[in-house]
């Protein structure tokens, strides 16, 4: 998880808080999900939602050099 977040580069706005939340959720998953693993599905959903929210703002900033291939120059 830490490697993935580090690849994002500088974190801005709420991104540092979201990354800390992702770390905490990943730790809980790694620890077994509590209650004999009963919380694993919920923790996984929360982690996916947190990561989606973390990446949401970055999708608009994505420079796609090939995005205009369908447009004639």
């Amino acid at each position: 998880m830490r490697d993935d977040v580090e690849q994002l580069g500088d974190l801005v706005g709420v991104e540092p808080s979201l990354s800390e939340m992702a770390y905490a959720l990943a730790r809980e998953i790694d620890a077994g999900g509590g209650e004999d693993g009963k919380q694993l599905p919920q923790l996984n959903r929360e982690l996916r939602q947190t990561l989606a929210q973390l990446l949401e703002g970055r999708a608009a900033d994505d420079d796609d050099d090939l995005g205009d291939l369908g447009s004639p120059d």
Side-chain angles (χ1 to χ4, degrees):
M1 180 58 54
R2 290 196 184 276
D3 290 343
D4 291 340
V5 171
E6 286 176 11
Q7 288 181 16
L8 295 174
D10 293 335
L11 302 176
V12 296
V14 298
E15 292 175 342
S17 297
L18 290 171
S19 66
E20 289 300 321
M21 184 184 304
Y23 297 152
L25 290 165
R27 271 193 304 274
E28 288 297 317
I29 290 169
D30 288 344
E35 298 178 30
D36 295 325
K38 291 179 184 176
Q39 294 177 349
L40 279 174
Q42 180 182 2
L43 290 168
N44 279 314
R45 280 191 299 276
E46 278 295 320
L47 181 56
R48 282 194 310 266
Q49 289 174 352
T50 301
L51 293 175
Q53 196 172 11
L54 182 59
L55 295 173
E56 186 176 287
R58 293 187 173 250
D61 295 338
D62 189 19
D63 269 342
D64 184 5
D65 294 337
L66 304 176
D68 61 352
L69 283 178
S71 303
D73 285 345

